[in-house]
Amino acid sequence: MVPASFAGHDFLASPQGALHWPAQGALLVADLHLEKASWFARLGQLLPPYDSHSTLTALARDIERSGATTLYCLGDSFHDRFGCDRLPDDARALLTSLTARLDWVWITGNHDAGFVDHIGGRIEEELTVAGLALRHEAVVGDPTPEISGHFHPKLRLRMKGRTLSRRCYVASDTKLILPAYGALTGGLDAHHPEIVKKVGPGAAALIPAAGRLLRFPLAA
């Protein structure tokens, strides 16, 4: 994890998309999309059914490394409202062990709105912590500094004739969008007009790499 600052707060950002907030003893992640593979399987599109366990294993490692005691999931934690019901036994056991020992907060998103069985933790539509709004999707025009997810931002770069794609954070003075943390998630180009519109002028894509935070300005 590399140091990052936003709205007067100090964080540590990981390339995977976990944001550690040391002052709050918290870890923030967005868009786990657990049980996405099983959702597609029900539609006849078969994908390897290991996405949930892979995502939760990575999350458990980041929790251990950070020492966080609170976990904020910023929406779309499950790919649909019944995703939790489809968790395989190993993923269910791992998730249950995590929610039992952490102050775990599920913030609802557009995919998992209305989900009931969440194996512990508490459900919130959004909340404010230390002056920062935590929600699933950024709200245009809200002056409150906010951290959100929803867009799965990725930065695509052309280098030596090849196109490289990396998960990225997108930040302006009052908006910070986290990349999707889930193992089976795509991404929207950070330059996409919908992302730029949400974060406003002066935005940049941020990539943790080589012990520092690389900054790539985004044109408004």
Side-chain angles (χ1 to χ4, degrees):
M1 289 188 169
V2 302
S5 62
F6 172 69
H9 297 268
D10 294 325
F11 297 93
L12 295 166
S14 80
Q16 176 79 12
L19 190 67
H20 181 208
W21 194 356
Q24 297 294 323
L27 197 69
L28 296 89
V29 292
D31 300 284
L32 305 180
H33 282 271
L34 301 174
E35 288 309 296
K36 182 175 182 177
S38 63
W39 184 84
F40 275 104
R42 296 169 65 187
L43 302 177
Q45 184 175 348
L46 300 182
L47 298 171
Y50 311 116
D51 57 305
S52 294
H53 191 266
S54 177
T55 297
L56 291 170
T57 299
L59 183 55
R61 285 197 299 265
D62 279 335
I63 292 169
E64 187 69 25
R65 290 167 180 164
S66 67
T69 56
T70 300
L71 196 290
Y72 296 106
C73 290
L74 304 184
D76 287 0
S77 300
F78 293 89
H79 192 65
D80 64 281
R81 62 178 297 187
F82 302 110
C84 194
D85 299 335
R86 301 194 304 274
L87 280 172
D89 291 342
D90 55 353
R92 179 175 292 272
L94 178 52
L95 180 54
T96 301
S97 71
L98 294 174
T99 59
R101 64 185 178 88
L102 296 169
D103 178 14
W104 191 289
V105 182
W106 303 103
I107 292 174
T108 53
N110 53 296
H111 276 263
D112 51 19
F115 80 114
V116 178
D117 180 9
H118 48 284
I119 315 181
R122 70 181 192 273
I123 299 174
E124 303 279 356
E125 287 190 14
E126 61 179 64
L127 71 164
T128 300
V129 179
L132 299 183
L134 308 182
R135 53 173 59 116
H136 178 59
E137 184 175 352
V139 176
V140 175
D142 186 347
T144 304
E146 66 176 19
I147 303 177
S148 63
H150 181 64
F151 287 103
H152 307 195
K154 285 189 172 183
L155 186 67
R156 293 175 173 85
L157 300 170
R158 289 284 297 174
M159 297 183 65
K160 298 180 178 180
R162 296 189 304 158
T163 300
L164 302 179
S165 178
R166 294 289 184 271
R167 302 181 194 210
C168 69
Y169 301 77
V170 175
S172 63
D173 288 343
T174 59
K175 309 288 184 186
L176 177 60
I177 299 177
L178 271 55
Y181 191 88
L184 192 58
T185 52
L188 184 65
D189 193 295
H191 294 88
H192 193 281
E194 282 300 311
I195 293 180
V196 174
K197 180 178 72 174
K198 288 288 187 178
V199 295
L206 308 175
I207 297 180
R212 60 196 181 100
L213 200 61
L214 305 180
R215 182 181 180 89
F216 300 86
L218 300 175

